[in-house]
Amino acid sequence: MNHPIPSQQVQAVALATEDQLRERIRRKSKLKGRQPEEQAVLEVRECIGERPAQGHRRDLLIEHLHRLNDRFGALREHHLVALAREMNVPMAEVYEVATFYHHFEVVPRDAQVPGLTVRVCDGLACELAGARDLIERLPAILGTDVRVIAAPCIGRCEQAPAVAVHQHAVPLATADKVAQAVAAHGAAPVRAPAAGADFAPAALAERSVSPALQDVQASVAYTDYATYRAGGGYGLPAALARGEVAAETVIKAMEDSGLRGLGGAGFPAGRKWRIVREQPAPRLFAINIDEGEPGTFKDRTYLERDPHRFLEGLLVAAQVVGTDAVYIYLRDEYHECRALLDQELRKLSADPPCPLPHIELRRGAGAYICGEESAMIESIEGKRGEPRMRPPYIAQVGLFGRPTLEHNFETLYWVRDIVERGPQWFSGFGRHGRKGLRSFSVSGRVKFPGVKLAPAGITVRELIDEYCGGMPDGHELYAYLPGGASGGILPASMGDIPLDFDTLQPHGCFIGSAAVMVLSQHDRARDAAVNVMRFFEHESCGQCTPCRVGTAKAARLMEAPRWDNATLGDLGQVMGDASICGLGQAAPNPIRCVQRYFPHEI
């Protein structure tokens, strides 16, 4: 086959002039996207520090966002651009995390933001106590430079109506009290709680933990490190470290006591320790103090009085399970608790009773969904708090991909007393065939709301009469929510059911975190159901359609004078069957309870 002979003369063709090539180079050398301003970079560095040699940790993104938000009153877009550059994280990731959490507000560069934000809790207990009236009256009283907004439950239901002025609580709020708190904001340092109190929760068994309403204060006296050590505190982890107490002895005591997870799921604590202990190292430890379930305030009540009993339980669990690092996730609304816990952790680190694991205190950002264990882990990793699909379970693949022990605050709080007093001390309490102690957060229509350390299996009637001083004058028990917003609603005629794990499920309810909200004949169960459904709509992470759309649709349908029971039933079925996590799965419970027990209202 003959091939043509190429020409010996190849003519050059000019593709561009010299100036055109220079212009092309200049265009390509200019980075695409929004570039950080030099001043914004300096301001970000003032908040988060200079970039370490190995770069900023990706999991600290939310902590860095908090520092910017605290410093500038909002998250300004030019600071987010600079933060993305400093952390070497895509701007899209920074933005999607910043816009996920309710306590972050992303605003344009030069936008005006209010000088102060006042959050009025509109949870069920606060709504019963007149929060709606406060929300309507306060804007005119406080002026235009103060923003007044409704906020989901801030964890002070026994102090209803509760208000937060910036980050400081105003219990039993009135318009005058809030106005005084606003006037005093920034003018003088907030009074620190008094140290040296000798708080002994075991001595309060079968009694009220919370003070009487006339003695309620925003800050309470607490047991500091020196006082706790003087009372024999931290003896157990020290004995474990010296080999004087065997890890198996502690696990056996936990199992024999019958202690179950007190955050809501109720998984046996001792069994959980065994499962995670058997996983390959390194193992991690995540502690949930998000406590966002409306009606729940027991963790805050114990934490602000005796943080070291919890920290001792933490150290015991860390040694027994063999975890290398501990991450404490505390809800953002508990500002006073965060300052106290940070202070006492520093004292513990300065004078440790035994070798300490690495401990980090992480700050939530206003997302109820982060009470779900895998969503909390995502948040600790600096991401949107969206629940993970299971399997794998976090005991196998959890925080940073490692086997992770996850516990609620109160579960760890009882470890010292169970081991020192013996498991039979804890299991020796109980009524109606149940065993153990339960910290009931009681709110609503009772004379003396608060945390009641009562026997497991107590009924709501017994709880109200023996621990809460009965119903207020002119009120009779009409209905109650036995397990917070998601635990369902029961009528007074079912007020003799033992309150404990597994006793309420046959009736379409569950105890959860033992948040008991009481309604009287002056209230309607349907109104309570609408309140909690609006809460679920507000707090849905939006990851799965059944929950995101279902809660919003249900809230609209439930506002009708007559409910469309067929459509609500279909919505509840889909949410329960197809939602990824417990929020969407439990959201239909109030609907079903009203349909089943209060048909005359709808």
Side-chain angles (χ1 to χ4, degrees), residues 533 536-537 540-557 568 571-572 574-575 579 583-584 587:
M533 189 58 69
F536 292 139
E537 176 190 5
S540 174
C541 75
Q543 181 180 190
C544 58
T545 302
C547 177
R548 181 183 67 250
V549 177
T551 52
K553 182 69 172 176
R556 301 294 87 76
L557 289 171
L568 282 168
L571 274 175
V574 173
M575 281 193 283
S579 294
L583 191 159

mmCIF file of all heavy atoms in Angstrom, residues 533 536-537 540-557 568 571-572 574-575 579 583-584 587:
data_model
loop_
_atom_site.group_PDB
_atom_site.id
_atom_site.type_symbol
_atom_site.label_atom_id
_atom_site.label_comp_id
_atom_site.label_asym_id
_atom_site.label_seq_id
_atom_site.Cartn_x
_atom_site.Cartn_y
_atom_site.Cartn_z
ATOM 1 N N MET A 533 -46.021 18.852 67.661
ATOM 2 C CA MET A 533 -45.822 18.593 66.242
ATOM 3 C C MET A 533 -45.130 19.778 65.562
ATOM 4 O O MET A 533 -44.294 19.600 64.668
ATOM 5 C CB MET A 533 -47.151 18.290 65.561
ATOM 6 C CG MET A 533 -46.995 17.805 64.114
ATOM 7 S SD MET A 533 -45.960 16.316 63.956
ATOM 8 C CE MET A 533 -47.039 15.092 64.721
ATOM 9 N N PHE A 536 -41.548 19.309 66.280
ATOM 10 C CA PHE A 536 -40.927 18.322 65.408
ATOM 11 C C PHE A 536 -40.689 18.895 64.007
ATOM 12 O O PHE A 536 -39.649 18.633 63.392
ATOM 13 C CB PHE A 536 -41.794 17.066 65.313
ATOM 14 C CG PHE A 536 -41.867 16.274 66.592
ATOM 15 C CD1 PHE A 536 -43.064 15.711 67.008
ATOM 16 C CD2 PHE A 536 -40.753 16.092 67.379
ATOM 17 C CE1 PHE A 536 -43.141 14.978 68.183
ATOM 18 C CE2 PHE A 536 -40.810 15.365 68.561
ATOM 19 C CZ PHE A 536 -42.016 14.810 68.960
ATOM 20 N N GLU A 537 -41.645 19.663 63.509
ATOM 21 C CA GLU A 537 -41.469 20.291 62.200
ATOM 22 C C GLU A 537 -40.249 21.209 62.209
ATOM 23 O O GLU A 537 -39.431 21.199 61.282
ATOM 24 C CB GLU A 537 -42.721 21.093 61.831
ATOM 25 C CG GLU A 537 -42.588 21.854 60.526
ATOM 26 C CD GLU A 537 -43.744 22.819 60.302
ATOM 27 O OE1 GLU A 537 -44.596 22.965 61.194
ATOM 28 O OE2 GLU A 537 -43.770 23.457 59.219
ATOM 29 N N SER A 540 -36.903 18.935 62.610
ATOM 30 C CA SER A 540 -36.543 17.892 61.644
ATOM 31 C C SER A 540 -35.276 18.306 60.899
ATOM 32 O O SER A 540 -35.163 19.437 60.426
ATOM 33 C CB SER A 540 -37.677 17.667 60.658
ATOM 34 O OG SER A 540 -37.266 16.764 59.638
ATOM 35 N N CYS A 541 -34.321 17.399 60.794
ATOM 36 C CA CYS A 541 -33.074 17.743 60.112
ATOM 37 C C CYS A 541 -33.269 17.848 58.610
ATOM 38 O O CYS A 541 -32.424 18.402 57.906
ATOM 39 C CB CYS A 541 -31.985 16.726 60.441
ATOM 40 S SG CYS A 541 -32.154 15.136 59.590
ATOM 41 N N GLY A 542 -34.382 17.305 58.094
ATOM 42 C CA GLY A 542 -34.672 17.411 56.678
ATOM 43 C C GLY A 542 -34.023 16.366 55.804
ATOM 44 O O GLY A 542 -34.185 16.369 54.583
ATOM 45 N N GLN A 543 -33.293 15.435 56.409
ATOM 46 C CA GLN A 543 -32.574 14.442 55.622
ATOM 47 C C GLN A 543 -33.519 13.493 54.892
ATOM 48 O O GLN A 543 -33.289 13.149 53.727
ATOM 49 C CB GLN A 543 -31.621 13.646 56.530
ATOM 50 C CG GLN A 543 -30.807 12.608 55.796
ATOM 51 C CD GLN A 543 -29.859 11.831 56.696
ATOM 52 O OE1 GLN A 543 -29.012 11.089 56.224
ATOM 53 N NE2 GLN A 543 -29.989 11.989 58.009
ATOM 54 N N CYS A 544 -34.597 13.066 55.573
ATOM 55 C CA CYS A 544 -35.503 12.116 54.928
ATOM 56 C C CYS A 544 -36.876 12.766 54.713
ATOM 57 O O CYS A 544 -37.386 13.467 55.587
ATOM 58 C CB CYS A 544 -35.614 10.818 55.727
ATOM 59 S SG CYS A 544 -36.178 10.976 57.417
ATOM 60 N N THR A 545 -37.445 12.496 53.573
ATOM 61 C CA THR A 545 -38.706 13.130 53.171
ATOM 62 C C THR A 545 -39.866 12.810 54.110
ATOM 63 O O THR A 545 -40.657 13.709 54.425
ATOM 64 C CB THR A 545 -39.049 12.730 51.726
ATOM 65 O OG1 THR A 545 -37.972 13.117 50.880
ATOM 66 C CG2 THR A 545 -40.316 13.420 51.259
ATOM 67 N N PRO A 546 -40.053 11.574 54.561
ATOM 68 C CA PRO A 546 -41.210 11.296 55.428
ATOM 69 C C PRO A 546 -41.265 12.195 56.653
ATOM 70 O O PRO A 546 -42.334 12.659 57.035
ATOM 71 C CB PRO A 546 -41.007 9.822 55.812
ATOM 72 C CG PRO A 546 -40.200 9.252 54.709
ATOM 73 C CD PRO A 546 -39.281 10.347 54.274
ATOM 74 N N CYS A 547 -40.124 12.454 57.270
ATOM 75 C CA CYS A 547 -40.089 13.301 58.460
ATOM 76 C C CYS A 547 -40.197 14.775 58.080
ATOM 77 O O CYS A 547 -40.979 15.523 58.659
ATOM 78 C CB CYS A 547 -38.802 13.034 59.242
ATOM 79 S SG CYS A 547 -38.600 14.070 60.698
ATOM 80 N N ARG A 548 -39.416 15.200 57.096
ATOM 81 C CA ARG A 548 -39.389 16.616 56.716
ATOM 82 C C ARG A 548 -40.750 17.101 56.249
ATOM 83 O O ARG A 548 -41.258 18.129 56.699
ATOM 84 C CB ARG A 548 -38.354 16.827 55.612
ATOM 85 C CG ARG A 548 -38.213 18.279 55.156
ATOM 86 C CD ARG A 548 -37.238 18.418 54.005
ATOM 87 N NE ARG A 548 -37.722 17.796 52.776
ATOM 88 C CZ ARG A 548 -37.219 16.702 52.233
ATOM 89 N NH1 ARG A 548 -36.197 16.082 52.792
ATOM 90 N NH2 ARG A 548 -37.725 16.206 51.117
ATOM 91 N N VAL A 549 -41.374 16.347 55.370
ATOM 92 C CA VAL A 549 -42.671 16.740 54.804
ATOM 93 C C VAL A 549 -43.808 16.315 55.734
ATOM 94 O O VAL A 549 -44.784 17.048 55.910
ATOM 95 C CB VAL A 549 -42.850 16.118 53.410
ATOM 96 C CG1 VAL A 549 -44.224 16.454 52.847
ATOM 97 C CG2 VAL A 549 -41.759 16.627 52.463
ATOM 98 N N GLY A 550 -43.669 15.142 56.345
ATOM 99 C CA GLY A 550 -44.751 14.610 57.162
ATOM 100 C C GLY A 550 -45.057 15.459 58.374
ATOM 101 O O GLY A 550 -46.230 15.713 58.686
ATOM 102 N N THR A 551 -44.015 15.927 59.093
ATOM 103 C CA THR A 551 -44.261 16.749 60.276
ATOM 104 C C THR A 551 -44.912 18.079 59.895
ATOM 105 O O THR A 551 -45.805 18.568 60.585
ATOM 106 C CB THR A 551 -42.957 17.008 61.039
ATOM 107 O OG1 THR A 551 -41.961 17.532 60.138
ATOM 108 C CG2 THR A 551 -42.436 15.720 61.669
ATOM 109 N N ALA A 552 -44.477 18.668 58.787
ATOM 110 C CA ALA A 552 -45.051 19.950 58.356
ATOM 111 C C ALA A 552 -46.508 19.784 57.937
ATOM 112 O O ALA A 552 -47.379 20.577 58.312
ATOM 113 C CB ALA A 552 -44.223 20.527 57.200
ATOM 114 N N LYS A 553 -46.779 18.731 57.178
ATOM 115 C CA LYS A 553 -48.148 18.473 56.727
ATOM 116 C C LYS A 553 -49.054 18.151 57.911
ATOM 117 O O LYS A 553 -50.199 18.638 58.000
ATOM 118 C CB LYS A 553 -48.136 17.308 55.737
ATOM 119 C CG LYS A 553 -49.499 16.967 55.153
ATOM 120 C CD LYS A 553 -50.008 18.049 54.225
ATOM 121 C CE LYS A 553 -51.277 17.598 53.512
ATOM 122 N NZ LYS A 553 -51.836 18.686 52.669
ATOM 123 N N ALA A 554 -48.549 17.341 58.842
ATOM 124 C CA ALA A 554 -49.354 16.976 60.010
ATOM 125 C C ALA A 554 -49.684 18.206 60.847
ATOM 126 O O ALA A 554 -50.815 18.356 61.324
ATOM 127 C CB ALA A 554 -48.615 15.934 60.850
ATOM 128 N N ALA A 555 -48.698 19.079 61.051
ATOM 129 C CA ALA A 555 -48.940 20.279 61.855
ATOM 130 C C ALA A 555 -50.049 21.135 61.256
ATOM 131 O O ALA A 555 -50.887 21.687 61.978
ATOM 132 C CB ALA A 555 -47.647 21.087 61.991
ATOM 133 N N ARG A 556 -50.081 21.242 59.910
ATOM 134 C CA ARG A 556 -51.140 22.031 59.260
ATOM 135 C C ARG A 556 -52.503 21.349 59.425
ATOM 136 O O ARG A 556 -53.506 22.013 59.722
ATOM 137 C CB ARG A 556 -50.837 22.185 57.762
ATOM 138 C CG ARG A 556 -49.528 22.848 57.407
ATOM 139 C CD ARG A 556 -49.457 24.314 57.808
ATOM 140 N NE ARG A 556 -48.998 24.494 59.182
ATOM 141 C CZ ARG A 556 -47.723 24.355 59.563
ATOM 142 N NH1 ARG A 556 -46.798 24.042 58.672
ATOM 143 N NH2 ARG A 556 -47.385 24.530 60.802
ATOM 144 N N LEU A 557 -52.545 20.037 59.236
ATOM 145 C CA LEU A 557 -53.810 19.309 59.338
ATOM 146 C C LEU A 557 -54.362 19.339 60.765
ATOM 147 O O LEU A 557 -55.583 19.377 60.968
ATOM 148 C CB LEU A 557 -53.623 17.860 58.886
ATOM 149 C CG LEU A 557 -53.398 17.625 57.388
ATOM 150 C CD1 LEU A 557 -53.010 16.174 57.128
ATOM 151 C CD2 LEU A 557 -54.647 17.988 56.592
ATOM 152 N N LEU A 568 -54.222 11.910 58.372
ATOM 153 C CA LEU A 568 -53.252 11.913 59.460
ATOM 154 C C LEU A 568 -52.773 10.496 59.780
ATOM 155 O O LEU A 568 -51.599 10.287 60.100
ATOM 156 C CB LEU A 568 -53.863 12.555 60.706
ATOM 157 C CG LEU A 568 -53.936 14.088 60.701
ATOM 158 C CD1 LEU A 568 -54.810 14.590 61.846
ATOM 159 C CD2 LEU A 568 -52.540 14.692 60.798
ATOM 160 N N LEU A 571 -50.256 9.610 57.098
ATOM 161 C CA LEU A 571 -48.994 10.313 57.354
ATOM 162 C C LEU A 571 -48.219 9.644 58.483
ATOM 163 O O LEU A 571 -47.002 9.433 58.381
ATOM 164 C CB LEU A 571 -49.278 11.771 57.739
ATOM 165 C CG LEU A 571 -49.440 12.802 56.621
ATOM 166 C CD1 LEU A 571 -49.834 14.146 57.212
ATOM 167 C CD2 LEU A 571 -48.151 12.938 55.829
ATOM 168 N N GLY A 572 -48.927 9.317 59.564
ATOM 169 C CA GLY A 572 -48.275 8.676 60.695
ATOM 170 C C GLY A 572 -47.668 7.335 60.322
ATOM 171 O O GLY A 572 -46.569 6.993 60.771
ATOM 172 N N VAL A 574 -46.548 6.384 57.341
ATOM 173 C CA VAL A 574 -45.359 6.583 56.508
ATOM 174 C C VAL A 574 -44.195 7.110 57.350
ATOM 175 O O VAL A 574 -43.060 6.647 57.212
ATOM 176 C CB VAL A 574 -45.668 7.551 55.344
ATOM 177 C CG1 VAL A 574 -44.391 7.886 54.575
ATOM 178 C CG2 VAL A 574 -46.691 6.928 54.405
ATOM 179 N N MET A 575 -44.471 8.073 58.229
ATOM 180 C CA MET A 575 -43.396 8.602 59.071
ATOM 181 C C MET A 575 -42.807 7.506 59.951
ATOM 182 O O MET A 575 -41.584 7.398 60.100
ATOM 183 C CB MET A 575 -43.926 9.751 59.942
ATOM 184 C CG MET A 575 -44.060 11.077 59.224
ATOM 185 S SD MET A 575 -44.316 12.465 60.369
ATOM 186 C CE MET A 575 -46.039 12.246 60.801
ATOM 187 N N SER A 579 -39.059 6.789 58.249
ATOM 188 C CA SER A 579 -38.102 7.785 58.744
ATOM 189 C C SER A 579 -36.821 7.092 59.199
ATOM 190 O O SER A 579 -36.840 5.968 59.698
ATOM 191 C CB SER A 579 -38.697 8.586 59.901
ATOM 192 O OG SER A 579 -39.785 9.368 59.472
ATOM 193 N N LEU A 583 -36.846 10.610 65.619
ATOM 194 C CA LEU A 583 -37.676 11.811 65.565
ATOM 195 C C LEU A 583 -38.898 11.554 64.683
ATOM 196 O O LEU A 583 -40.039 11.723 65.115
ATOM 197 C CB LEU A 583 -36.864 13.003 65.034
ATOM 198 C CG LEU A 583 -37.509 14.388 65.161
ATOM 199 C CD1 LEU A 583 -36.441 15.482 65.089
ATOM 200 C CD2 LEU A 583 -38.570 14.665 64.105
ATOM 201 N N GLY A 584 -38.670 11.168 63.450
ATOM 202 C CA GLY A 584 -39.785 10.910 62.550
ATOM 203 C C GLY A 584 -40.598 9.698 62.945
ATOM 204 O O GLY A 584 -41.817 9.665 62.760
ATOM 205 N N ALA A 587 -42.760 10.871 65.989
ATOM 206 C CA ALA A 587 -43.596 12.058 65.796
ATOM 207 C C ALA A 587 -45.093 11.746 65.707
ATOM 208 O O ALA A 587 -45.911 12.551 66.172
ATOM 209 C CB ALA A 587 -43.134 12.822 64.555
#
